[in-house]
Amino acid sequence: YKETMGRIGKLPFPMSVEKALSYIKNKLEVPVLRYAGNRDRLVEKIAILGGAGAEFAGVAKSIGADLYLTGDLKYHEAQDAAMNGLVIADGGHFYTERVIIPYLAKRLRDEFKTRGWNVGVLEDVRAKDIFHCV
């Protein structure tokens, strides 16, 4: 999105909500993927904002997303998004952010090198979600 840090893209092909959520769950390797919204629709466009981005659900809807993936959803945020016709999924703070870390680290390393700065960038490859599932 132009006014946020999120992204919007298309799935490889239109999918049912259940298949789209399963696809996302598999790609993120998230153990639990909560969602709210109409499960009887097709999903093609997905808006994504890692971390806690529920306040941008309206933006996701306005730019044509069928499904919005973020983390740390509260009950009423999910309820509002679903009532406005958006399928909204909570991939968790950790799982929606960890996928970008290698790309950000590379961009920082490249930029530091370009500027001639001797700055190291460390990635925590052993990081785990603070929450556990039973």
Side-chain angles (χ1 to χ4, degrees):
Y1 329 14
K2 291 181 181 175
E3 59 275 340
T4 69
M5 297 186 315
R7 296 289 181 260
I8 189 162
K10 289 188 175 185
L11 289 170
F13 53 88
M15 300 179 189
S16 68
V17 169
E18 186 177 325
K19 289 208 183 291
L21 292 168
S22 180
Y23 179 82
I24 292 166
K25 185 177 176 188
N26 181 280
K27 292 291 183 184
L28 290 181
E29 299 176 0
V30 60
V32 175
L33 185 59
R34 301 182 317 153
Y35 78 97
N38 180 1
R39 63 185 299 164
D40 297 326
R41 66 177 299 177
L42 283 178
V43 174
E44 185 173 9
K45 281 177 108 174
I46 297 179
I48 301 169
L49 179 57
E55 66 269 24
F56 296 103
V59 175
K61 174 72 174 163
S62 72
I63 59 175
D66 303 310
L67 187 149
Y68 178 48
L69 172 67
T70 191
D72 300 336
L73 290 177
K74 293 180 181 177
Y75 183 89
H76 293 289
E77 294 167 334
Q79 185 180 44
D80 289 345
M83 287 177 58
N84 287 320
L86 187 65
V87 176
I88 189 164
D90 186 346
H93 199 104
F94 175 79
Y95 292 98
T96 59
E97 282 192 346
R98 76 175 177 152
V99 293
I100 195 67
I101 299 301
Y103 301 101
L104 289 175
K106 182 184 181 325
R107 283 183 70 180
L108 287 170
R109 285 186 191 104
D110 291 349
E111 184 64 25
F112 295 159
K113 185 177 180 181
T114 298
R115 292 176 184 245
W117 297 352
N118 185 19
V119 177
V121 177
L122 300 175
E123 299 171 57
D124 184 354
V125 296
R126 294 179 293 169
K128 302 274 187 231
D129 191 1
I130 191 72
F131 294 106
H132 304 281
C133 299
V134 292

